[in-house]
């Protein structure tokens, strides 16, 4: 090919030669000898403005054309390794933000679950479980990243790698390895314990508050999930997002129940050694405020009557030292339909707070009731008969009729 030929044919032919570079040089020249006249003819047809694109439009790319020449000449296809090496770009390293949020979200939710269950057990109050609502968004985000990135991305985190290295080093220690092996052998029993503990927790809360029956379906589902997910952790790490929070809940409630038992024994011991009339300042209610008791019963309201049996309103009570008998005041919360603390003072009597459940028709405490119901009843729910003092003849203010004068006896001689 002479040097005065158009550039398009020369460029195209050069690329075909490059695509055949792995073949012997003499055989490449033999193949190109047949190509040159064809390219020159096409270039002449295209005119002085011929471009490489015009040749590509008619013959295909130089590389594909070279492949056809190989096939027609019985040559093997071009080696793929050199070409792949020039085209493959280094894969972008995945970020660690998502896996890290999934991992530490799980840790945060497990710690929060343990604290909420501990507080609930100590206070023996199912309303404390509403703290779980704070953890729910974090747990949802953690699960979302887990589903998007999978468990393998978490295993590559530096903190996970270090933790696995620590476990591996413990395995190399015989005494630590025996302890780990023993703990692993307890796993099947632990999932059963978790399931029964959840159910027992719900039943105990029902003793204090019948509304806790609404928690039983949730606890039943949790018990079933932990029984199903626990044995599958080794095969599927995603099961940790079920087993770990449930285990944390059981551990927290166990310690909370132990604390509640200690408080109960302490209160009974003190009650048996103290005057049962009333005592304040030594007991606290579920909110940590001082409670007023009559015997072993905690008082939430007091009604005061005058000597004629008329109930008194807006009365402020004090003890013999002039200290106000301040206790927690409760009221109804409209959104949840449950009672809640509204303050604390020593003003009595207070509206009576009535709680229950109602259905969609407004029936209270009926068979189909499921929504919380609460109302405040003002007034005195009973009448008091005040004993009267017995009347006496010497009642002050009552005039005593004067006795008739005694006529003096006549003198005797």
């Amino acid at each position: 090919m002479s040097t005065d030929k158009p550039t398009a044919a020369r460029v195209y032919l050069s690329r075909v030669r490059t695509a055949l570079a792995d073949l012997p040089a003499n055989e490449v020249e033999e193949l190109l000898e047949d190509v040159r006249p064809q390219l020159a003819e096409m270039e002449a047809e295209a005119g002085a403005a011929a471009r490489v694109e015009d040749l590509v439009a008619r013959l295909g790319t130089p590389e594909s054309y070279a492949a056809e020449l190989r096939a027609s000449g019985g040559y093997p296809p071009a080696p793929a390794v050199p070409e792949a090496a020039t085209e493959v770009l280094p894969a972008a390293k995945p970020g660690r933000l998502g896996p890290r949020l999934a991992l530490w979200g799980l840790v945060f939710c497990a710690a929060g679950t343990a604290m909420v269950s501990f507080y609930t057990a100590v206070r023996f109050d199912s309303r404390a479980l509403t703290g779980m609502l704070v953890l729910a968004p974090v747990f949802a985000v953690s699960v979302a990243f887990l589903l998007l990135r999978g468990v393998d991305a978490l295993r590559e985190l530096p903190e996970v790698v270090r933790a696995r290295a620590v476990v591996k080093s413990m395995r190399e220690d015989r005494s630590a390895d025996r302890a780990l092996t023993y703990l692993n052998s307890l796993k099947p029993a632990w999932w059963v314990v978790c399931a029964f503990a959840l159910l027992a927790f719900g039943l105990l809360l029902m003793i204090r508050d019948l509304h806790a029956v609404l928690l039983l379906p949730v606890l039943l589902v949790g018990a079933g999930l932990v029984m199903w997910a626990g044995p599958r952790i080794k095969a599927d790490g995603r099961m940790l997002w079920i087993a770990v929070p449930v285990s944390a809940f059981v551990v927290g409630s166990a310690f909370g129940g132990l604390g509640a038992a200690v408080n109960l024994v302490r209160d009974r011991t003190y009650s048996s050694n103290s005057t049962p009339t009333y005592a304040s300042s030594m007991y606290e209610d579920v909110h940590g405020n001082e409670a007023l008791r009559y015997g072993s019963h905690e008082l939430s309201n007091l009604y005061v009557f005058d000597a004629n049996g008329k109930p008194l309103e807006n009365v402020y009570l004090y003890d013999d030292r002039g200290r106000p008998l301040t206790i927690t005041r409760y009221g109804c919360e409209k959104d949840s339909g449950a009672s809640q603390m509204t303050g604390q003072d020593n003003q009595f009597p207070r509206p009576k707070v009535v709680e229950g459940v109602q259905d969609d028709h407004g029936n209270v405490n009926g068979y189909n009731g499921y929504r919380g119901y609460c109302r405040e009843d003002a007034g005195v729910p009973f009448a008091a008969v005040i004993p009267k003092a017995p009347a006496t003849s010497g009642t002050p203010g009552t005039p005593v009729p004067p006795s008739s004068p005694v006529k003096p006896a006549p003198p005797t001689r």
Side-chain angles (χ1 to χ4, degrees):
M1 185 177 295
S2 60
T3 55
D4 57 350
K5 285 185 178 180
T7 304
R10 294 174 60 188
V11 171
Y12 193 96
L13 193 63
S14 176
R15 291 175 58 180
V16 172
R17 186 192 301 276
T18 302
L20 299 173
D22 59 300
L23 301 179
N26 58 339
E27 295 181 10
V28 172
E29 291 301 325
E30 290 180 1
L31 291 173
L32 296 182
E33 284 297 329
D34 299 332
V35 177
R36 287 191 182 95
Q38 185 180 6
L39 292 176
E41 182 180 354
M42 293 181 181
E43 191 177 45
E45 293 176 356
R51 301 175 304 169
V52 177
E53 288 77 8
D54 298 331
L55 300 178
V56 171
R58 298 182 63 176
L59 298 176
T61 63
E63 290 76 16
S64 62
Y65 190 71
E68 293 178 2
L69 292 177
R70 286 175 181 273
S72 61
Y75 295 102
V81 175
E83 182 178 359
T86 57
E87 293 184 357
V88 173
L89 298 176
K93 195 172 183 179
R96 293 174 176 172
L97 177 61
R100 191 155 280 156
L101 286 175
L103 174 64
W104 289 105
L106 174 64
V107 174
F108 175 79
C109 291
T113 300
M115 293 177 62
V116 171
S117 62
F118 176 83
Y119 184 79
T120 302
V122 169
R123 299 297 182 186
F124 203 36
D125 187 356
S126 60
R127 291 173 295 185
L129 289 175
T130 54
M132 291 289 187
L133 299 178
V134 179
L135 305 175
V138 180
F139 187 73
V141 172
S142 176
V143 172
F145 278 104
L146 172 69
L147 297 178
L148 289 174
R149 302 296 301 274
V151 180
D152 293 338
L154 274 70
R155 290 173 177 163
E156 298 176 356
L157 292 174
E159 51 266 40
V160 176
V161 173
R162 287 194 294 269
R164 296 176 68 181
V166 171
V167 174
K168 184 179 179 181
S169 63
M170 293 177 64
R171 289 287 188 186
E172 295 172 355
D173 185 352
R174 288 189 176 182
S175 58
D177 183 56
R178 284 197 296 269
L180 291 175
T181 303
Y182 176 73
L183 292 176
N184 285 330
S185 66
L186 297 179
K187 282 183 178 180
W190 172 250
W191 308 130
V192 178
V193 170
C194 287
F196 279 100
L198 289 177
L199 297 180
F201 188 76
L203 294 175
L204 289 175
L205 288 179
M206 288 178 58
I207 297 176
R208 171 67 181 273
D209 186 1
L210 287 178
H211 295 155
V213 68
L214 300 176
L215 294 173
L216 284 182
V218 179
L219 297 176
L220 279 171
V221 172
L225 284 176
V226 75
M227 290 282 291
W228 173 77
R232 291 171 170 79
I233 289 179
K234 189 174 183 179
D236 189 349
R238 294 175 299 179
M239 298 298 113
L240 287 171
W241 270 253
I242 297 175
V244 171
V246 174
S247 299
F249 186 93
V250 172
V251 172
S253 61
F255 281 99
L258 180 61
V262 172
N263 289 336
L264 181 61
V265 172
R266 183 195 63 184
D267 292 347
R268 286 187 175 181
T269 302
Y270 177 81
S271 180
S272 62
N273 296 329
S274 61
T275 303
T277 305
Y278 86 89
S280 62
S281 303
M282 297 303 296
Y283 296 94
E284 294 181 349
D285 59 14
V286 294
H287 300 287
N289 300 323
E290 291 184 345
L292 188 64
R293 291 175 178 269
Y294 184 80
S296 60
H297 179 64
E298 180 179 331
L299 303 180
S300 60
N301 207 350
L302 291 174
Y303 299 95
V304 185
F305 296 83
D306 64 7
N308 296 320
K310 179 183 178 181
L312 303 181
E313 298 179 353
N314 299 325
V315 175
Y316 293 85
L317 299 183
Y318 296 84
D319 66 1
D320 55 350
R321 301 180 184 179
R323 299 177 300 179
L325 300 181
T326 302
I327 61 174
T328 302
R329 178 183 287 271
Y330 292 92
C332 291
E333 207 277 325
K334 294 182 180 178
D335 295 334
S336 63
S339 64
Q340 66 173 5
M341 172 183 170
T342 59
Q344 52 178 330
D345 53 50
N346 65 328
Q347 183 180 4
F348 299 93
R350 302 169 173 182
K352 182 180 180 181
V353 178
V354 180
E355 292 185 89
V357 293
Q358 64 178 354
D359 57 20
D360 293 335
H361 301 287
N363 299 318
V364 178
N365 294 332
Y367 180 77
N368 296 322
Y370 67 94
R371 288 187 289 119
Y373 172 81
C374 182
R375 74 169 188 270
E376 299 179 14
D377 291 344
V380 181
F382 56 88
V385 178
I386 307 300
K388 301 294 184 180
T392 60
S393 57
T395 304
T398 303
V400 179
S403 57
S404 58
V406 179
K407 187 177 181 179
T412 59
R413 298 177 181 250

